[in-house]
Amino acid sequence: MAATGSGLPGPTPLDRGKVEGGTVTLPNWRGEADRPSPPPPAPLPPGERVGFALAGLGRLTLEELLPAFAECKTARPVALVSGSPEKAKVVAAQHGIKESSVYSYDDFDRIADNPEVQVVYVVLPNGLHRDFVIRAAKAGKHVMCEKPMANSSQEARDMIAACKQAGVRLMVAYRCQYEPYNREVIQRVRSGDMGAARIIEATNTQVMGPGDQWRFRKALAGGGALPDIGLYCLNTARAITGEEPVEVFARIFNPQGDDRYREVEETIAFMLRFPSGTMANCSSSYGAHESKDLRVRLEKGWIDLENAFAYEGQQMRVAQRGGKAEVIDTVRMPQQNQFSLEIDHMAACVKENRVPRTPGEEGLQDHHLMEALYRSAETGTPVSLAPVSGRDTTRGPEPSQQG
């Protein structure tokens, strides 16, 4: 059949595809030697997506989260909360958000009257998380909260209790648990195909700039390198093993004469010992050139994930014996926006009324462990912890893979 008006042959079924279950599907056009192309995105119509309010218009919201919504399939931004009316007005116009859905911190509670908002994503400094999560829950909104969850385990417990009392979901934004390469590492280790994990090495470092920023103020940050970026090492080690540490040990270093570190730590190195015998050696620093890498050493090989904790640029290698040779394979996976993946996961949990993969209890446990690490650093001795069993039974199901 000719294409309309052109006199040329029309597309074949292979090129045209078909509609199945309300979505467009296309047959694989590549040969068997190459990976098949992913299916076309199948986003929900805008009116059916879960509406998010973003509380806080700092760098993470402006540089990462709002752009990520363009790749979301089940979520959309519908409201903003900011202490800067001028900035909020500009950002709302850029993203098609109604002026009436822009709130200040003082009048935030009015959000209870906005039916478009189903989730409040709290992206404020850590010391403000508790109050805004509780206010969002009282407004009847589900809550997604940036990591670290709060400034202390007590604040985390308050947040969990408030959301339970209000009957709303609470998710902590541990983006790396939704990033495909990190998930692949977790799956490979937990499968047991490479034997038991003996050593995990996790490093997250960066060089900080001027001291006039909230991360150097303990009341707002809760701590320094540990809760900000070292938390990725801690949380990832727990996710990889599926266990909770039974002993932790830590050392902290602050450079003399640097006023930025009067209240928070610059560098921390810590060890986690798990019940199975796996040992995690972790390090985090505000004073070392950017490095965000992960390596797992197992009985039958090792897995190396470069840029494991970065926003992008993950590269994965796996080493195993191949006969008389050491075979090192490079694993290449489709690049996906980890922010859109975690936002869509929260949206799906709201629509399906299920527990998120990283609920408030996940954040609470990390606070227990960080407090133990600080005690160890203060006393110079290891801290033993009571065994915890069945951690995974308290967490939601694995997030579905996105195409």
Side-chain angles (χ1 to χ4, degrees), residues 18-148:
K18 59 184 177 180
V19 175
E20 292 181 316
T23 63
V24 178
T25 62
L26 296 168
N28 181 34
W29 59 277
R30 293 176 175 171
E32 291 185 2
D34 288 348
R35 292 173 297 163
S37 58
L44 291 175
E48 297 180 21
R49 300 186 198 182
V50 174
F52 278 66
L54 290 107
L57 296 182
R59 288 183 177 84
L60 186 65
T61 297
L62 298 178
E63 295 176 359
E64 303 296 338
L65 300 180
L66 280 169
F69 274 99
E71 299 182 50
C72 285
K73 299 176 180 65
T74 56
R76 65 185 180 118
V78 297
L80 303 174
V81 185
S82 175
S84 172
E86 182 182 21
K87 181 165 62 172
K89 183 177 180 180
V90 170
V91 176
Q94 290 171 338
H95 293 272
I97 295 172
K98 304 171 187 175
E99 286 190 29
S100 61
S101 294
V102 175
Y103 303 89
S104 70
Y105 298 139
D106 292 334
D107 71 3
F108 169 76
D109 302 313
R110 289 194 303 110
I111 208 165
D113 301 322
N114 188 340
E116 281 194 313
V117 176
Q118 295 166 269
V119 179
V120 174
Y121 190 165
V122 178
V123 203
L124 296 163
N126 311 335
L128 300 175
H129 287 181
R130 174 192 178 276
D131 288 350
F132 274 84
V133 166
I134 291 175
R135 290 172 72 181
K138 287 182 177 178
K141 308 301 181 183
H142 302 283
V143 191
M144 187 170 172
C145 181
E146 261 306 313
K147 46 59 57 188

Side-chain angles (χ1 to χ4, degrees), residues 312-357:
E312 58 185 7
Q314 288 75 26
Q315 297 185 52
M316 182 175 173
R317 297 185 305 154
V318 178
Q320 291 179 286
R321 174 188 171 187
K324 295 182 179 180
E326 173 86 344
V327 178
I328 301 178
D329 293 321
T330 298
V331 179
R332 292 188 175 92
M333 303 176 67
Q335 191 72 44
Q336 294 179 270
N337 186 309
Q338 54 196 275
F339 293 102
S340 64
L341 291 175
E342 67 175 355
I343 291 169
D344 268 347
H345 177 72
M346 178 61 176
C349 290
V350 169
K351 291 182 74 69
E352 299 166 15
N353 191 29
R354 56 187 173 94
V355 178
R357 169 69 180 165

